[in-house]
Amino acid sequence: MKVLLSALNAKYIHTSLAIRCLKAYSEKEFDIELAEYTIKDPPMNIVSDIFQRKPDVIGFSCYIWNIEETIKVIDIVKKIMPEVKIILGGPEVSYDTQYWMERLANVDFIVMGEGEETFHHLLQELSSTRKFHFVYGVAYRKGDEIILNPPRPKAILNELPSPHRFPEDIPHLGKRVVYFETSRGCPFSCQFCLSSIEVGVRYFDIERTKSDLLYLIDQGAKLIKFVDRTFNIKRDYALEMFQFLIENHGGCVFQFEITADIMRPEVLDYLAKNAPPGIFRFEIGVQSTNDPTNELVKRRQNFTKLSRTVTMIKESGKIDQHLDLIAGLPLEDYDTFRKTFNDVFALGPEELQLGFLKMLRGTGLRHDAAKYNYTYMDHAPYEILGSDVLPFSDIVRLKRLEDVLEKYWNAHRMDHTLNYLMKHEFPSPFDFFQAFGDYWESQGWQKIGHQLEDLFTRLTAFLEHRQTPRMDIVMGLMKFDYFLGHKYKPRKIWWDFSLDKSDWSAHMKRIVEMPSAVSEEFAKLGLTERELHKHAMIEMMPFDLNDAIQGGSGLTGDANRQTMLIVLYQQDDSGRPHYYTMPV
């Protein structure tokens, strides 16, 4: 019996942990093959590939972001391969399983909950006596009747084989995100999250975990994303793992979901002193800073402690932080969400992701949706369309804000410019992104693509439309950000260059003749005029650039002080240009 395990991933660079766990558990007894696709692949392309593999059984891993695309594939597969048995598993079908069995007539079985033992037992019955009523944790069809068997007890994690040792994965490890779990379960009870349903946390043996990580690092993995719901729930465990990864990282990057308000100071101190810059990334779910909201959804959170943790991590300069917000939680209206956004943005995260509440199957909030007058999409991803305090009109506005937040802040294309605008020209970060998002849509730009230069020209158009004062400073900072955003000297610029050829050469000659007037560090480079022409960009700023970069007004004393910006490329292996300033 040939078994094909498949997942439709968001991108090719992601690899499904779930189907690897199933293969590792059952491959000694069954012929199991993995087939990964993306949700962007045409269904006919996927089906054609599946058809050529000639499986007897196909298992699909289902999530909110791939279920509808997976269904399209299943329906075609059953038309051309009616004898093939279709098995679904994953969080999207583990709840309301009766609904899925009724809706999807082409699905033969659904594995509910943890899949390794249940899936293996089901394969044994498919290949022998077919007594499916013995398979705990599975739903199946008996004629026209749908049978949901009792759940299976939780697996003993240390008895499960490693899903990270397949030889065929080795050539791809350096090009993929490797998902890794050291534990299962969550200690919290947030009513919007599926993790709250599984009570308690179980851990894999730490020595086995270390061994698997060393194997992946040695085989060339570049990014490992831990899927533990709260990696730092046990201080000693987290500290030991951080220490192990610091000592053995081999250039690999590790991403964790942490709960910031329970991070112990001694762990933070250890990371600040010992973590090499760039090897750790923390994802922190804040969701809301509105206390009544957090209390209602059973989310225990101390924002003061969370802020302390985020600030300490940021000040260390070692770890990038990704903070999450959820718009649409109970009691969170447009105004309180504005406060939530500004509270969290003030912490200065490298990324701030704005998501919208999804009514996931099996969650307490979906069960209580009528209490808050929630309307939401009938099919995945079940995103809310409105509530008693957040109408659809407000959701639409927040969608516009989210769009420009992703394009401008999270992409880090012009941080200096945005920081200046949010400090000097807008009441708050929220108001900047909201106003810009509204203008973006009013221009119809959401319907067309954009190049890098378009992001600068469109921000300029917005600021000029609202008659923003001190556009000389804003334009100077935008030029500065544009230069710093290129690894190599840019071939073109998006503004009309103000220096003619003779002025440019004169400035170059002056810089070379008086390098110490730039800085001692610059003078040590000993650049010739030819090298400067080849590797440098210069621009005249009609204000004190250093003052503006530090968040000042750009003015010194009672008058403007002109500055020359000098940006050097290809000076070292950092991949970043170096900049210098010189008073004019």
Side-chain angles (χ1 to χ4, degrees):
M1 185 171 70
K2 183 174 182 179
V3 181
L4 184 68
L5 290 174
S6 181
L8 275 64
N9 298 317
K11 298 178 181 178
Y12 280 117
I13 61 171
H14 296 81
T15 59
S16 173
L17 176 60
I19 61 175
R20 280 167 167 71
C21 290
L22 298 183
K23 178 179 179 178
Y25 195 87
S26 296
E27 66 175 347
K28 292 181 179 178
E29 189 171 340
F30 298 98
D31 177 15
I32 295 182
E33 186 176 341
L34 300 183
E36 295 184 273
Y37 312 99
T38 82
I39 55 176
K40 298 296 185 182
D41 290 334
M44 275 301 296
N45 290 7
I46 297 174
V47 173
S48 297
D49 185 68
I50 290 174
F51 180 78
Q52 294 177 43
R53 295 171 185 261
K54 295 181 171 55
D56 301 299
V57 177
I58 308 174
F60 289 96
S61 185
C62 301
Y63 302 84
I64 59 169
W65 42 266
N66 74 0
I67 181 64
E68 297 302 325
E69 288 75 13
T70 300
I71 291 170
K72 295 173 187 175
V73 172
I74 291 169
D75 289 344
I76 300 174
V77 166
K78 271 294 190 177
K79 287 182 182 294
I80 61 171
M81 306 169 71
E83 73 286 353
V84 169
K85 296 301 180 184
I86 303 290
I87 305 173
L88 303 188
E92 177 56 11
V93 295
S94 287
Y95 307 95
D96 294 345
T97 306
Q98 181 79 25
Y99 160 82
W100 289 113
M101 292 294 285
E102 291 173 354
R103 178 184 169 188
L104 308 179
N106 288 323
V107 170
D108 300 292
F109 304 91
I110 291 180
V111 171
M112 300 173 285
E114 278 185 342
E116 290 95 341
E117 294 177 350
T118 302
F119 183 72
H120 183 74
H121 190 179
L122 178 57
L123 292 182
Q124 289 176 323
E125 291 300 330
L126 278 169
S127 63
S128 59
T129 61
R130 295 181 172 248
K131 294 180 179 179
F132 304 123
H133 58 284
F134 286 144
V135 185
Y136 284 5
V138 78
Y140 66 101
R141 303 181 190 278
K142 186 177 181 181
D144 294 332
E145 185 181 3
I146 295 171
I147 309 295
L148 272 64
N149 285 346
R152 182 178 295 271
K154 299 296 182 186
I156 300 172
L157 296 187
N158 290 331
E159 295 180 358
L160 302 180
S162 169
H164 300 294
R165 304 280 184 153
F166 301 132
E168 61 268 28
D169 285 342
I170 293 175
H172 311 289
L173 287 177
K175 298 172 286 186
R176 290 180 165 182
V177 179
V178 178
Y179 287 96
F180 196 99
E181 60 180 351
T182 72
S183 65
R184 290 182 182 177
C186 181
F188 302 112
S189 304
C190 305
Q191 295 300 287
F192 52 82
C193 181
L194 276 177
S195 299
S196 65
I197 298 171
E198 185 177 347
V199 179
V201 180
R202 296 168 293 147
Y203 284 85
F204 289 89
D205 176 73
I206 193 168
E207 295 307 320
R208 168 190 142 158
T209 294
K210 292 178 180 179
S211 176
D212 278 349
L213 287 167
L214 280 179
Y215 172 85
L216 292 169
I217 294 167
D218 290 342
Q219 298 301 329
K222 298 301 181 185
L223 175 57
I224 297 177
K225 184 173 182 179
F226 291 83
V227 298
D228 306 75
R229 276 71 163 188
T230 304
F231 188 82
N232 62 312
I233 191 64
K234 286 173 64 176
R235 184 202 62 176
D236 293 344
Y237 181 88
L239 189 57
E240 183 174 349
M241 287 301 302
F242 287 142
Q243 181 177 356
F244 173 79
L245 294 172
I246 288 170
E247 293 173 352
N248 298 280
H249 64 86
C252 187
V253 174
F254 309 96
Q255 184 168 326
F256 311 88
E257 291 185 31
I258 70 162
T259 300
D261 60 342
I262 65 170
M263 184 71 95
R264 299 292 291 270
E266 56 267 35
V267 178
L268 293 171
D269 290 340
Y270 176 80
L271 292 173
K273 293 176 182 176
N274 298 284
I279 72 160
F280 290 154
R281 297 177 186 169
F282 286 169
E283 183 174 337
I284 300 170
V286 183
Q287 321 311 7
S288 174
T289 64
N290 189 39
D291 289 336
T293 294
N294 286 329
E295 183 176 348
L296 193 149
V297 298
K298 300 182 180 179
R299 181 172 181 79
R300 294 175 294 171
Q301 180 170 270
N302 186 317
F303 187 66
T304 300
K305 291 182 177 179
L306 182 150
S307 300
R308 178 203 66 192
T309 295
V310 172
T311 301
M312 288 182 66
I313 292 171
K314 185 173 182 64
E315 289 175 349
S316 76
K318 302 290 189 67
I319 300 169
D320 283 351
Q321 298 178 95
H322 171 117
L323 272 56
D324 292 330
L325 300 178
I326 297 178
L329 291 170
L331 307 183
E332 185 87 279
D333 61 16
Y334 184 85
D335 290 332
T336 62
F337 186 76
R338 176 181 181 274
K339 179 180 182 300
T340 284
F341 184 97
N342 286 328
D343 287 344
V344 177
F345 198 91
L347 300 177
E350 282 71 27
E351 290 184 10
L352 178 57
Q353 180 174 329
L354 168 52
F356 292 81
L357 179 64
K358 296 171 177 61
M359 291 295 186
L360 303 179
R361 295 181 182 276
T363 60
L365 207 50
R366 179 172 175 130
H367 181 267
D368 293 337
K371 288 184 182 180
Y372 312 105
N373 198 29
Y374 277 118
T375 54
Y376 54 93
M377 300 174 181
D378 291 334
H379 298 303
Y382 315 113
E383 196 168 286
I384 67 161
L385 304 173
S387 72
D388 53 0
V389 297
L390 194 72
F392 183 69
S393 57
D394 286 344
I395 292 174
V396 169
R397 290 199 69 198
L398 292 174
K399 288 280 187 180
R400 298 172 192 158
L401 180 152
E402 177 203 19
D403 186 34
V404 294
L405 177 73
E406 286 294 321
K407 286 182 171 69
Y408 284 82
W409 182 258
N410 289 342
H412 293 290
R413 292 187 171 103
M414 50 186 88
D415 288 356
H416 298 92
T417 305
L418 298 191
N419 282 323
Y420 175 85
L421 289 170
M422 289 184 287
K423 180 175 181 180
H424 294 286
E425 302 298 344
F426 289 85
S428 74
F430 181 94
D431 295 288
F432 164 72
F433 289 112
Q434 185 67 85
F436 190 18
D438 291 343
Y439 183 79
W440 187 283
E441 182 158 304
S442 73
Q443 300 303 300
W445 291 335
Q446 78 281 6
K447 300 175 184 177
I448 57 178
H450 61 269
Q451 301 295 324
L452 175 63
E453 290 75 17
D454 296 327
L455 295 177
F456 288 84
T457 57
R458 291 174 184 178
L459 177 59
T460 303
F462 163 62
L463 296 172
E464 290 177 343
H465 171 77
R466 65 183 294 274
Q467 298 181 327
T468 303
R470 293 313 311 258
M471 279 300 292
D472 56 340
I473 293 179
V474 176
M475 288 296 293
L477 289 173
M478 289 176 73
K479 295 172 184 177
F480 178 60
D481 282 325
Y482 187 77
F483 285 147
L484 293 187
H486 287 77
K487 185 175 181 180
Y488 302 102
K489 182 178 177 179
R491 295 183 178 180
K492 63 177 180 176
I493 55 179
W494 53 268
W495 65 92
D496 294 329
F497 195 54
S498 59
L499 293 176
D500 61 30
K501 195 170 184 179
S502 60
D503 287 339
W504 173 279
S505 295
H507 287 303
M508 289 288 192
K509 186 180 293 293
R510 179 188 170 210
I511 293 168
V512 171
E513 291 174 350
M514 304 172 56
S516 59
V518 179
S519 72
E520 290 184 12
E521 180 188 44
F522 181 85
K524 291 177 182 177
L525 296 174
L527 297 172
T528 65
E529 189 174 344
R530 183 175 181 277
E531 290 170 328
L532 204 59
H533 275 279
K534 183 177 180 181
H535 296 298
M537 294 294 295
I538 64 171
E539 179 70 32
M540 304 305 294
M541 302 292 186
F543 57 88
D544 188 329
L545 178 62
N546 288 324
D547 185 24
I549 291 171
Q550 296 302 318
S553 65
L555 298 176
T556 300
D558 296 327
N560 291 1
R561 188 176 75 176
Q562 198 173 24
T563 308
M564 182 188 299
L565 169 66
I566 308 155
V567 183
L568 281 178
Y569 297 88
Q570 299 173 320
Q571 293 303 305
D572 57 31
D573 297 327
S574 69
R576 298 185 302 274
H578 295 263
Y579 76 91
Y580 307 86
T581 60
M582 183 177 183
V584 177

